[in-house]
Amino acid sequence: MAQHSGSKELRSRLRVAPGRGPLDLTAYDSSDTPGSPGGKRRTLAATEAMRPRLAELQQRLYAQSTAGDPRRLLVVLQGMDTSGKGGTVKHVATGLNPTGVRVRTFKAPTEEERAHPFLWRIRKALPDAGEIGVFDRSHYEDVLVVRVRALAPRATWSDRYDVINRFEQSLVDDGFTLLKVFLHIGYEEQRERLLARLDRPSKHWKFDPQDIADRALWPAYQEAYAAVLERCSTDAAPWYVVPADRKWYRNWAVGTLLLQHLEMIGPAYPKAAFDVPGNRAKLLRT
């Protein structure tokens, strides 16, 4: 199946090459718009234009699962607070059939979840065959916030990179396609978005005083994210760094990556396992 125009180029531009070695996030411009079809207006139009194709491919993905095809797609979204994980889900999922999209947000683990290995709650939330799953935060929190806030000994979280890589390889072997996106927001842009939440009463529910404390840990978080991108971008499940300061670009880029990954799967409607002409004739006689 032909790939969406420009998506292959975007994928190569945003992809973190496996085995590339140490990664410096300061080298990535969070306000950049690599590969965009133009300015804000043209990019917004391009985002709308891809929705019918996304909906078509989603329907095909679900349809082929009814014939036993195990394939499914999992989108992993990570990023600092205000980077737009929730907004990305909202915009990208617009036009998709909600019955075929499974969105899961991972907050601090519950007491029950802490009593199990860290991947236990992740496995329970995986999409079924034919579904598109979206993780707003994910298993990577156990090598991000756990590392930065020292919620577990270094010996514990440092082993998890390899555990995650093996886990994701097993998913791919079982028919998953993984799209892992790091929404890269700048330090100054985050301040502006946090201030907007404080200045608008309708946004107060989105503000957490802990966000201010986390800003003091910004260098540590950037180091932790760099380690994730370096150690867990694999051939089977690479990471993509999407500049997130411009929301219109962020939504277009993630939507384009999603479309490209669906086209890589190449879902198709299954052939009927029954006599179509015969059943049509019977129906006409009723």
Side-chain angles (χ1 to χ4, degrees):
M1 181 177 294
Q3 291 190 345
H4 181 254
S5 176
S7 61
K8 184 176 182 180
E9 178 188 357
L10 181 70
R11 186 161 60 104
S12 64
R13 293 181 70 171
L14 301 181
R15 181 173 180 261
V16 177
R20 57 159 290 160
L23 185 145
D24 181 8
L25 277 176
T26 63
Y28 291 79
D29 184 354
S30 59
S31 65
D32 197 6
T33 59
S36 68
K40 181 176 181 179
R41 181 175 297 181
R42 291 188 62 181
T43 303
L44 287 172
T47 302
E48 290 302 315
M50 75 174 75
R51 296 198 191 283
R53 180 64 172 157
L54 280 170
E56 176 192 1
L57 289 171
Q58 182 208 15
Q59 181 169 279
R60 291 186 181 191
L61 182 67
Y62 185 82
Q64 70 181 17
S65 72
T66 65
D69 194 299
R71 288 176 291 178
R72 64 205 81 180
L73 193 151
L74 175 62
V75 181
V76 174
L77 297 175
Q78 288 285 161
M80 295 291 290
D81 291 322
T82 78
S83 61
K85 295 179 291 295
T88 300
V89 172
K90 175 183 176 181
H91 284 275
V92 171
T94 298
L96 299 182
N97 188 332
T99 60
V101 180
R102 181 182 298 198
V103 180
R104 176 67 187 271
T105 300
F106 290 94
K107 300 184 183 297
T110 64
E111 184 176 343
E112 179 188 17
E113 290 169 342
R114 286 195 297 270
H116 293 273
F118 77 101
L119 289 175
W120 180 77
R121 64 175 182 164
I122 304 299
R123 295 181 187 278
K124 291 179 61 179
L126 291 171
D128 291 331
E131 290 184 336
I132 296 175
V134 182
F135 283 177
D136 178 345
R137 302 185 187 274
S138 66
H139 41 297
Y140 284 98
E141 291 298 289
D142 286 278
V143 288
L144 289 166
V145 64
V146 169
R147 168 179 173 165
V148 173
R149 296 184 186 172
L151 301 179
R154 182 185 184 90
T156 297
W157 59 255
S158 63
D159 288 340
R160 289 174 177 170
Y161 299 105
D162 291 336
V163 173
I164 288 172
N165 287 342
R166 290 194 297 270
F167 167 64
E168 292 179 348
Q169 181 65 61
S170 72
L171 294 182
V172 172
D173 292 342
D174 288 340
F176 282 75
T177 293
L178 270 64
L179 169 56
K180 303 188 303 188
V181 176
F182 170 57
L183 301 175
H184 183 38
I185 189 173
Y187 187 68
E188 299 301 326
E189 178 65 20
Q190 190 201 50
R191 177 191 286 118
E192 293 304 311
R193 293 187 186 181
L194 288 173
L195 284 172
R197 291 180 179 182
L198 286 172
D199 293 342
R200 296 176 59 186
S202 62
K203 297 290 186 180
H204 286 175
W205 65 275
K206 299 182 71 175
F207 185 82
D208 184 344
Q210 180 63 44
D211 294 341
I212 299 177
D214 279 348
R215 276 181 65 79
L217 299 172
W218 185 276
Y221 271 110
Q222 297 301 291
E223 183 179 343
Y225 271 109
V228 162
L229 297 172
E230 175 190 338
R231 298 190 60 178
C232 296
S233 191
T234 63
D235 289 326
W239 272 102
Y240 297 88
V241 177
V242 172
D245 282 4
R246 304 177 193 270
K247 297 178 183 179
W248 50 268
Y249 172 79
R250 175 200 71 198
N251 295 337
W252 170 82
V254 177
T256 300
L257 288 171
L258 175 61
L259 178 55
Q260 193 268 339
H261 279 71
L262 282 169
E263 290 181 333
M264 285 173 59
I265 296 173
Y269 293 114
K271 294 182 179 180
F274 52 86
D275 180 3
V276 176
N279 278 274
R280 187 176 189 278
K282 288 181 182 179
L283 182 59
L284 289 174
R285 290 196 296 270
T286 62

